[in-house]
Amino acid sequence: MLKQIIKTLLLASITCFIAFAILKFPMDATEASIRGLTLWWEKVFPTLLPFFVIAELLLGFGVVKFIGILCEPIMRPIFNVPGVGSFAWVMGMASGYPTGAKISARLREENQITQIEGERLVSFTNASSPLFIFGVISVGFFVDEKLGILLAVCHYLGNALVGICMRFHGRTHEQNTQHSTKQKISIMKALQEMHRTRLNDPRPIGQVLGEAVLNAVKTLVMVGGFIIIFSVITKLLFLIGVTPFLAKGFQSFFHLLSLPIDLALPFLSGLFEITIGGSMISHEATDNLLAQLVVVSFILAFHGFSVQAQVASIIANTDIRFTPYFFARFLHGLFASLLTIILFKPLYLNRQVFDMEEVPVSKGFQQSIWTDFIRVLEQIGPLITFFALGVAIIVLYRRKQHK
């Protein structure tokens, strides 16, 4: 009882504190809110919407079940999860967080995975997208596209190592559950399971498509809300002096690790919001590029409290616990940072091995591909967002009409 009272008082105090800070700095809070809204409207929504809709359709039409049967002999021995987990892993890497959590939660809702398997999946299927690593961090912040190779390899390899470590999570709860690790790949069996899954879903194609768009929009609206609120919170914590005060404690820790103490404040900001932290780290005046990359790798793996809040909200409707995912973030950060130190020389200093400019047909392409893609996305992003919101409104209206 006392614990719940303390929790109530703590939550109420934090909420009142944030409300007071917004009233104290209304213009700065509005500016931060607009920045978060612009990020969601122009980039996050149009980037993630297609992946969310396609994921829903693939689940509904049984394609995920087909992939699961084929990948079972691979995913079970390595990560101790069903083959359908490969779909969440690949989609999570391709589209970025929180896609992996969204797909893992859907698989759990359909009982295609157990609670423990869901917790294992969520811990390593959420990753930063290649677009963000190459286009935003490498080209946008550090103005060096070759850094993307190093950061991406460390990020995704570290994520795989987390999955291997988390395969031992919850094994005591699965003592009575035996999984066959010597299954043969059978395309015929996979096709049969895909067909059976589609037949078990009585919804017509139009309804499946409409609900796919609606579910995707609902999730992305929630994601947008978290982006905006954490953008405001990060700005307010800096203005009232909380972030600089906490950064002083991190300076001592950075000194012990032989890292520049000037990176403590950007690192702390990155723990709340990756984009802000990455921008501050890249603009920090230091000659130690390796130290900057180590810190960036850690905050990319940590996901930031903003993304973690999105994941917590997505899995809240299931019995998947948040604690294993949170623990895995520190593990991923440790792996990614160590890999950055180990691979810095072969993947960056000796970058002539990976220098695509020596290939005639690729000259000029590598430098502009990400910036051109981002520029086009900024132009059509709001149109995609507006169109998807309109479709969601129509689906909701028709659903109410039928009730």
Side-chain angles (χ1 to χ4, degrees):
M1 184 65 179
L2 179 61
K3 182 179 180 180
Q4 294 298 325
I5 294 176
I6 295 175
K7 183 178 180 180
T8 300
L9 293 176
L10 180 62
L11 294 175
S13 300
I14 293 175
T15 305
C16 292
F17 177 77
I18 296 175
F20 174 79
I22 293 176
L23 294 176
K24 178 70 175 178
F25 304 100
M27 296 300 297
D28 296 285
T30 302
E31 179 184 353
S33 179
I34 293 175
R35 186 184 67 85
L37 177 61
T38 302
L39 175 65
W40 174 80
W41 177 266
E42 294 183 349
K43 297 182 180 180
V44 175
F45 194 104
T47 300
L48 292 183
L49 178 67
F51 289 96
F52 281 7
V53 174
I54 292 299
E56 291 284 344
L57 294 178
L58 293 177
L59 283 166
F61 296 148
V63 179
V64 175
K65 193 68 175 180
F66 173 83
I67 297 174
I69 298 297
L70 295 180
C71 295
E72 181 78 16
I74 301 174
M75 297 297 291
R76 182 62 71 183
I78 299 177
F79 303 113
N80 200 14
V81 296
V84 291
S86 62
F87 177 71
W89 190 26
V90 173
M91 292 290 286
M93 287 191 296
S95 59
Y97 16 67
T99 306
K102 171 67 175 176
I103 297 175
S104 299
R106 288 286 287 114
L107 293 175
R108 178 58 186 143
E109 290 172 356
E110 296 183 353
N111 291 320
Q112 296 193 43
I113 56 176
T114 65
Q115 176 192 358
I116 298 299
E117 291 169 345
E119 291 170 358
R120 292 171 185 159
L121 268 182
V122 172
S123 67
F124 76 94
T125 56
N126 286 278
S128 180
S129 67
L131 174 63
F132 184 78
I133 293 177
F134 283 89
V136 178
I137 299 294
S138 301
V139 177
F141 292 160
F142 287 92
V143 197
D144 189 350
E145 70 277 2
K146 295 183 180 66
L147 284 177
I149 298 175
L150 173 64
L151 293 175
V153 169
C154 296
H155 186 71
Y156 297 129
L157 181 57
N159 217 18
L161 293 175
V162 170
I164 295 174
C165 293
M166 292 300 291
R167 76 183 307 278
F168 302 102
H169 164 68
R171 293 192 68 177
T172 56
H173 295 82
E174 293 184 330
Q175 291 179 350
N176 297 326
T177 304
Q178 296 182 352
H179 303 287
S180 176
T181 59
K182 297 183 179 180
Q183 296 183 9
K184 295 182 179 180
I185 297 177
S186 175
I187 297 180
M188 183 59 65
K189 180 181 178 182
L191 289 172
Q192 291 174 351
E193 289 295 330
M194 180 178 68
H195 182 60
R196 185 180 296 111
T197 301
R198 190 192 69 81
L199 293 180
N200 290 336
D201 190 346
R203 297 176 299 171
I205 296 179
Q207 184 180 355
V208 173
L209 179 60
E211 292 185 357
V213 175
L214 181 61
N215 292 333
V217 170
K218 283 182 178 180
T219 302
L220 286 171
V221 169
M222 178 271 297
V223 169
F226 278 112
I227 291 175
I228 294 172
I229 192 62
F230 272 88
S231 177
V232 173
I233 291 175
T234 303
K235 183 69 174 181
L236 294 177
L237 290 177
F238 177 79
L239 292 174
I240 63 181
V242 174
T243 306
F245 174 77
L246 295 176
K248 294 181 179 179
F250 280 96
Q251 287 178 354
S252 302
F253 179 68
F254 273 44
H255 181 71
L256 292 175
L257 297 177
S258 300
L259 294 174
I261 60 175
D262 294 337
L263 295 177
L265 180 58
F267 171 76
L268 187 60
S269 300
L271 293 182
F272 284 89
E273 215 285 320
I274 301 173
T275 308
I276 296 176
S279 177
M280 294 177 64
I281 292 170
S282 65
H283 290 91
E284 194 64 44
T286 177
D287 296 330
N288 195 339
L289 177 61
L290 176 58
Q292 290 178 298
L293 296 179
V294 168
V295 176
V296 168
S297 290
F298 186 91
I299 65 174
L300 281 173
F302 187 73
H303 294 179
F305 294 126
S306 174
V307 175
Q308 291 184 18
Q310 297 169 26
V311 172
S313 177
I314 290 173
I315 65 178
N317 294 327
T318 68
D319 55 0
I320 298 176
R321 293 170 295 185
F322 177 78
T323 305
Y325 163 79
F326 185 69
F327 167 76
R329 302 286 52 81
F330 289 98
L331 196 61
H332 189 190
L334 177 62
F335 284 146
S337 300
L338 291 177
L339 287 171
T340 302
I341 297 174
I342 296 172
L343 300 177
F344 178 69
K345 183 176 181 180
L347 293 188
Y348 183 72
L349 294 183
N350 299 336
R351 60 186 180 275
Q352 61 267 20
V353 178
F354 305 93
D355 196 351
M356 294 297 294
E357 294 180 359
E358 298 299 326
V359 182
V361 296
S362 67
K363 288 185 177 181
F365 172 76
Q366 189 179 7
Q367 295 181 353
S368 62
I369 181 172
W370 294 111
T371 53
D372 289 345
F373 181 80
I374 293 174
R375 189 179 299 112
V376 172
L377 189 62
E378 289 177 348
Q379 294 175 353
I380 68 173
L383 296 177
I384 298 175
T385 307
F386 182 77
F387 175 77
L389 289 174
V391 173
I393 292 173
I394 294 173
V395 173
L396 282 174
Y397 176 77
R398 290 186 174 181
R399 179 178 291 183
K400 290 183 178 180
Q401 291 292 102
H402 289 296
K403 288 184 178 180

